[in-house]
Amino acid sequence: MSVIGSPVSRVDGPAKVNGEAHYAGEFAPKDLLYAATADSTCPAGTIVTLDTRDAARAPGVLLVLTHLNADRLPYQEPAERVAVDPVAGAQLRVLDGPAILFSGQPIALVVARTQAQAEYGASLVPAPYDADPPAKLRFDPALAQPTSEAAAKKKRGPETRKGDAEGAFARAPVTLDERYRLSREQHHPMEPHATVAEWTGDRLTLWSKTQWVGNERDEIARRFGLPPANVRVINPYVGGAFGSSLRTWPHVTLAAMAARRARRPVRLELTRRQLFTFVGHRGQSEQHVRLGADPNGRLLATICEATGQTSTYEEFAEPLLGPAGATYACDDRLTRYKLVPMNVNTPCPMRGPGWATGLVAQEMAMDELAERLGMDPIELRLRNYAERDPMKDLPWSSKALRECYAQGAERFGWSKRPLKPRARRDGRDLVGLGMATAIYDSGRYPTSASVALLPDGTALVRCATADMGPGTYTSMTQVAADALGLPLARVRFELGDSTFPPAKEHGGSTTMASVGPAIQEACGAVKAKLAGVADGAPITDFAAVLRRAGLDRIEAEASAKPDDAMKTHSINGFGAVFAEVRVDVDLCTIRATRIVGAYDAGRIVNPKLAHSQCIGGMVQGIGMALFEDVEWDEHLGRVSNGTIAEYIVPVNADIHDLDAIFVDTREPLLNPLGVKGVAELGLCGVAPAIANAVWHATGKRVRNLPITPDRLLTA
Amino acid sequence: MTRDGGEAADPDWSRREIMITAAAAGGSVMSMGTTAAAAAKIAGPAGDRTIDLVLTINWTEHRLTGIEAHTTLLDALRDHLHLTGTKKGCGLGQCGACTVHVDGRRVNSCLTLAVMQQGKAITTIEGLAVQEALHPLQAAFVEHDGFQCGYCTPGQIMSGVACIAEGHAGSDDEIREWMSGNLCRCGAYSNIVASIRQAAAGKA
Ligand code: FES
Ligand code: FES
């Protein structure tokens, strides 16, 4: 059996279980100081005065920076906006002036000898505000504006049309017209974002939590007006991120500003509370869905009008309408996308950005349509199966969604599901089953990698990618071992250093499809070099070859980039998600007792790790469906449940039987490995499958996620 | 890297406010140079609130000199002793990432002060495996893929070892309940339960 496709345990597992894996905030250069920030408590306006005298006198405090004494940084413009940044607007410039754009914006930075001293010092900075202009605090779709030209270029609204959707909807014999809301969610990786900054002359080293060391280097270089070569970003382990470490956030700038002024290394680690306001979120959304169908369930009209939120200073638009466009065949379709600019910190991608959110509305709406038609929900989906991508009007590169429906249904026991809701009761519990389709747009980026064959008989493979949990260390070791014909134990893969060969963001499920081929190329190149000196010796004997040739290593670097496949074809991962819920008949407490996902993600490099990723997505989907809800006080303009006990995330007792299966496929076009990516797909479809199961259990539709007991009680 | 020794860039700040010394056994990182009394005296405006203390961590005595009295056990471990295997997830007792053992009982190290734990046996993830390279529960976590990013993992494992010792690992439901103080945002819960189930069975 090839090592690709084999369920090997994580190569970094031992370091993670014995405490040896070092995350960004754990690097402690000599003479390290600690920083904390004081953050605005008003959502919009101007700082009138800023009295830092008490903070400066507090125990252990060495430095207090505000807009009155901080360096003005050049913030050079990039030649081109990277995909991880919002589509338009100007990023927040920290300590650059008295203007307040959202509650939680850093207004002062305190550097002290210990973390506690820095936090205490920061608590002593009072700031009276002039609350003018009035803050924009209501998420009201009536206040929304169509997305901009810049968003349109990325196919994120403001409108797409095919045929005459409104006319077809008006004529359709069976219709559905509903609004679906999803609360704002926070990523809340268990590792809080942290940056340790150290200057040596005009060279800066950052140990910083990031999904993209290369961009963090470039971004910080531009903010400080440095050549990128003067900045090095190191981050070997990322303690989860889910999109929240794609961009370079203001705290990274603050850490570097502080270290430069203090002339000592500084650590700035965000508090759990600050993770609500420093690093983005999945903004709240409302989707107005109208579907029209004939009595046989054929879709005649698909209309989705989505409203998202963004900040007042940047436009964050995401592919929210992807599912409405691409999932089902329908000739008459219309999508619209608007945003409400608010005095909030800018949203950012969160696992399955856009697609997971879009699927919530679409898949709940399809379930309701199936109910109106008296049809099995899978049957309705099969009757509208898209044989090519209706949005891009391109053929799929590969699509095994039928197999996902069939194999998932079989594993789950879907055929025994009664069509009618509220049909099964077990003790105090109403039991219901629901399903949803999953789809996520696959991608691939140009990437480089290097391989060095070393005298100890091991190969060292490097790439400036990251591993926030999916298992990049392991899967890339597998790819390299396979390409070199070496056992796993003789291959070491290193990542997370901006001096390594470049990669793009570790996000959007693109890592396997992007980094894997670069490693294959680099391995091929190093084998060719070895052949030149090997005299026919097998590659496994390269240590002996090096010795004979008097070399201390043979090294090669190579790049791989996508061809035209993403232009000529629509390339997507697919899945079918099935959920069982139990609802207490009186209390309306909901438990997701069983979830099965069947996925077409192309070839699976490591089934053990891919399974973990998918069931991890199910846990987050349970959070999305039942718990996660940033409570927004629209009078104060603040998050009112700003800790990880009040913002409820799933705990172990919430999790029951989860299973993921992979249909046997191989993506023919995207990359030579045959992969399509797993991560985002694992979240897509989970929340609507649960919501549909709640309806099936109770006969009640709650179109406001999360479905909390109070919402279900009053539905 | 440790921050012992060396001069700071700015002469004003060249005083070392915290002395890290490891007394006796174990060959921990030692850093001498200033006496404890001197360190306490130079601790600046907070001098009147600093203390010296000795913590027994993983069978090794660690002397902390001139630290603030309100230093949490978590900050003492991570920031002062550079034992970063114990993680900080919230600092508020809400996530369990900072779980260690004090006299064999699991404790959120962010919710207790270092000064309160003198004379007690503190065990962290770095001291869990006694003879073998990995404790059986650590090995089970690797085998069952009981984590993804690994950040909650030391806390999960410390909690899991205690969960088994407490007799709270009798069934999957019981494990889930008694492991619910340890959040895992990557969602490795099912595999965590499988790891604990296996380690508990090995013990029985
Ligand atoms: S850091 Fe102690 S419970 Fe979260
Ligand atoms: S493994 Fe990432 S938080 Fe648990």
Side-chain angles (χ1 to χ4, degrees), chain A residues 190 239-240, chain B residues 146-153 156 183-188:
Chain A
M190 289 319 302
Chain B
F147 51 90
Q148 289 189 51
C149 78
Y151 197 80
C152 73
T153 311
Q156 300 279 2
L183 301 181
C184 174
R185 197 58 170 146
C186 297

